[in-house]
Amino acid sequence: MSDADTAAPPRLRGHHLICLQFFRGEGYSEAFVANLADVVMRANAEPALVVQGADDVCAACPGLGPDGTCRDPEAGETEVRRLDALALETLGLAEDDRVSLSQARKRLTGNPARIARWRAEACVGCAWESVCADGWKQAAENAS
């Protein structure tokens, strides 16, 4: 990563603003996990720029196609874009907004209905659902 990349704010798509809340050091590969840890650190240090499409997390994902679209066999671009739109609606954010991960967490966990909707419409059937289970339990308890 160059100095210019380090100086730029982290770039995150909608669903990553929620899903990164539950990062626990797991992922597709060591390189992917190292990138996730870096993105989380940066997004905790300064507000992330909300983007449409591939972001800083996607950059190290083995499912990212050469055209910048998601080729994950379990999700794919159409599903990922649906999740992004749902996340931005849930968090009350739009493209080009700036938000830290802690601000995103407050927006989500400050309303039990938001948690319930996200879990019902995004988490059920997700390959990472078991990784996030403890984090969701804690988020729900904090929202009560």
Side-chain angles (χ1 to χ4, degrees), residues 111-136:
N111 184 327
R114 287 181 182 166
I115 293 173
R117 180 175 181 212
W118 178 262
R119 298 239 16 230
E121 295 183 31
C123 298
V124 174
C126 174
W128 299 99
E129 187 175 9
S130 64
V131 173
C132 303
D134 288 339
W136 277 117

Side-chain angles (χ1 to χ4, degrees), residues 50-72:
V50 178
V51 299
Q52 295 288 332
D55 64 4
D56 291 352
V57 170
C58 300
C61 182
L64 183 65
D67 60 353
T69 61
C70 180
R71 303 253 175 105
D72 183 277

Side-chain angles (χ1 to χ4, degrees), residues 4-131:
D5 292 335
T6 305
R11 299 170 62 254
L12 292 175
R13 64 190 311 158
H15 80 275
H16 288 156
L17 291 166
I18 294 176
C19 297
L20 284 178
Q21 302 293 331
F22 307 106
F23 173 63
R24 301 291 182 266
E26 297 183 43
Y28 299 110
S29 67
E30 286 184 33
F32 183 76
V33 170
N35 182 62
L36 281 176
D38 179 65
V39 171
V40 168
M41 181 186 69
R42 291 174 51 223
N44 279 323
E46 71 173 303
L49 176 66
V50 178
V51 299
Q52 295 288 332
D55 64 4
D56 291 352
V57 170
C58 300
C61 182
L64 183 65
D67 60 353
T69 61
C70 180
R71 303 253 175 105
D72 183 277
E74 293 188 31
E77 188 69 17
T78 301
E79 176 62 6
V80 168
R81 287 194 180 267
R82 182 191 74 79
L83 292 172
D84 289 341
L86 176 62
L88 294 182
E89 179 186 333
T90 299
L91 297 173
L93 295 169
E95 182 178 10
D96 295 327
D97 283 348
R98 299 282 306 265
V99 64
S100 69
L101 284 180
S102 64
Q103 290 166 326
R105 184 177 192 86
K106 285 178 188 173
R107 287 175 180 243
L108 179 67
T109 61
N111 184 327
R114 287 181 182 166
I115 293 173
R117 180 175 181 212
W118 178 262
R119 298 239 16 230
E121 295 183 31
C123 298
V124 174
C126 174
W128 299 99
E129 187 175 9
S130 64
V131 173

